[in-house]
Amino acid sequence: KDLQVKDALKALRADWLWRVSVGAVALAESRPEQVACCDLKLLQDYAPTWLQGFDKTGQPLIFSHFGKFRFPHVLKQTTVENLLKLHIHNSERISRIIGQQSLKHGRNISSVLTIIDAEDWDPGNLRTMKAFQYTSGMASIDAEHFPERLGKLFVINAPKLVWRFWQIMQYTLPEKT
């Protein structure tokens, strides 16, 4: 971020206080199903996300199959708040991997390459405000606490409705994420 030193210190303190308040270290060290307060099978079936490997520059490659996500099924076992905690869990863990990659390669690696597979995306996800709360919550967390962590994002197998969802959501997102 383009800030002055006092502003940077203020932002750093606010981020540290946020990390303490959400228990970021404990979230990162917990299992995904503990963080999301649901069965692991639910996450594997409806929110599969994993570290696929690394690109040729050493940048982590994250793969998410959000096309499988079904809000009605997921929200039977958990809440948007817990899903946002899972997002923090994933972001903290990838931050640690980025740090390890920087040490391994002897240079700064600060971002990830993310591929989202939207195949089989359910338009029913848009029938609930929870989808918008979840998406805007992730964007807000990323912008405030993991800025510029996303190096590149590719969405594959996206139906036209995903594009329309993006057109709606982009107006709620901060300019820099």
Side-chain angles (χ1 to χ4, degrees), residues 105-118:
H105 292 276
R107 59 182 168 74
N108 184 36
I109 295 173
S110 60
S111 60
V112 300
L113 169 62
T114 301
I115 298 175
I116 294 177
D117 188 348

Side-chain angles (χ1 to χ4, degrees), residues 65-82:
H65 197 271
F66 280 133
K68 292 186 172 207
F69 200 87
R70 303 292 183 268
F71 264 102
H73 296 292
V74 173
L75 293 178
K76 286 179 184 177
Q77 283 194 36
T78 192
T79 64
V80 169
E81 181 179 290
N82 288 336

Side-chain angles (χ1 to χ4, degrees), residues 99-158:
Q100 292 167 354
Q101 285 296 100
S102 294
L103 291 173
K104 178 180 176 181
H105 292 276
R107 59 182 168 74
N108 184 36
I109 295 173
S110 60
S111 60
V112 300
L113 169 62
T114 301
I115 298 175
I116 294 177
D117 188 348
E119 184 177 32
D120 297 326
W121 192 75
D122 180 13
N125 287 333
L126 295 179
R127 291 188 193 121
T128 175
M129 283 304 295
K130 304 278 186 192
F132 295 96
Q133 292 171 351
Y134 178 53
T135 306
S136 61
M138 285 191 303
S140 177
I141 289 167
D142 289 347
E144 289 297 316
H145 306 289
F146 302 97
E148 301 176 18
R149 181 70 67 212
L150 181 62
K152 290 183 184 175
L153 171 69
F154 296 98
V155 179
I156 60 173
N157 302 317

